[in-house]
Amino acid sequence: RLKGLMYTSSSTAGTINMWDVTAAPTAAATGYTQSGNTVTVTSASHGLNTGDRIGITFATNAGVSATNGNYVVTVSSSSVFTITDINSRTITSTACTFSAAGGRWLMSVDTAALTTSGVPQNQTMLIPGEGLLALNGIYAQLSNQTGLTIFYG
């Protein structure tokens, strides 16, 4: 179970994505678009089948992104699949990351940059209750972080 995080940010705001996977998640080379509730992801040789459950995170574009989460995919081709987002919007972006079938997204944390005095932001985030259950393993994907400690058990 994922019980908490302690992280140190860098000079640029960043993100921490936590995954329940056996292998590192895949970055979609071409990215994603969203029209209404349908999110279309383009990634060469994604290896997914219609009905697979995956975890997925999305980069923002102009301050908005599709909703990070766990979804059932519909495969259009060997390089395109779609999911149904709970929110409706129109987005064209260039980046998303998804797990292989059976992997799950656990959580994401957007982090602040260093303070104006250049002092690193050291933050601790405890997850209440019994934490988040990870059945496969815990994988941390970091963007603009200088350190991360994971509390589990």
Side-chain angles (χ1 to χ4, degrees), residues 24 30 47 64 83 124:
T30 306
V64 295
I83 62 168
T124 301

Side-chain angles (χ1 to χ4, degrees), residues 1-4 127 129-135 138 150-153:
R1 291 187 184 268
L2 177 61
K3 302 281 191 157
I127 299 169
E130 294 185 13
L132 298 173
L133 181 62
L135 300 171
I138 297 173
I150 298 172
F151 300 101
Y152 65 96

